[in-house]
Amino acid sequence: MRNGPMRMLMQEDLNFLLTNRLPRRWATNLVGRIAAVEHPWVARPALAAWRFFCDVDLSDAETTRFASLREGFVRRLRAGARVFAAGEGVVASPCDAIVGAHGRVEDGCVYQVKGFPYRLDELVPDAMVAGRFVDGWFVTLRLTAGMYHRFHAPADLTVEGVTYQSGDCWNVNPVALKRVERLFCRNERAVIEARGTGGRELLLVPVAAILVAGIRLTFLDTGRLLREEGAGRRACDATVEKGAEMGWFEHGSTIVMFLPAAARLRGELREGRAIRAGEAIADW
């Protein structure tokens, strides 16, 4: 019994060492280049390693043949593979994910895990935008490396602005979340400001992570990574129907969703539970 916790601690130490104590941006740029290579001598071993180590499920993918590792990461699903919960007041999960920390925003304070708080106004650079959710709700949705990497509108939305924030690319797995304070506030991220029917407000904050870290937004310019456009806010007036694609990550990462105080998270949300894009997670 004594050896069990010790083995777990050693595994966490090794995981943290391998994924966070190496030159993160250098490793990310290197893997990004490898992932884009379409030559079979590079692509086939890379895809094989990804499928072996990352618990990849391609049963609902549009195709299982990929020219590069990147194509595998950003694969599309076959038509009808995800059904979004109906109802004007129902907010669905924007992505396949593992549910992380969630609950009330307590006087502007959010938790990445128990005992590791961060300030909403540090994650969201615009203090006025952050102030709208100071007593609202949040849910953390972590996409693993083997998951479907595209994310979708959780409700019928009008996107009013996108703020890109440059930053680090720490791993966002549970081991790192328990060891790196304010991790989401340190990493590269985008803040997507949106309103639903009746002016209901919502924030989506995609956070990039180590290895192929990159965020693309379909309703802006999918051809370029957000970091290529530079930091700052871009005003927007894009209408996106519930379930429509909003963008994708080029590797596993996290989306933190914020809802106003009048909303409610669904009771069936549990930390560590796997959910799929389209499942109802909150009500406005």
Side-chain angles (χ1 to χ4, degrees), residues 80-115:
R82 299 290 182 274
V83 178
F84 276 67
E88 186 179 283
V90 176
V91 181
S93 174
C95 57
D96 289 7
I98 306 295
V99 177
H102 58 282
R104 272 282 188 189
V105 179
E106 300 173 356
D107 193 25
C109 188
V110 189
Y111 287 86
Q112 60 189 41
V113 293
K114 186 176 180 180

Side-chain angles (χ1 to χ4, degrees), residues 241-277:
E241 294 183 355
K242 179 186 280 190
E245 184 182 296
M246 295 188 75
W248 66 76
F249 292 107
E250 297 204 344
H251 192 64
S253 194
T254 289
I255 293 178
V256 189
M257 177 191 290
F258 294 92
L259 295 164
R264 288 292 183 275
L265 298 182
R266 291 284 180 106
E268 58 266 30
L269 280 181
R270 294 288 183 275
E271 193 163 344
R273 178 190 163 201
I275 61 173
R276 287 191 162 194

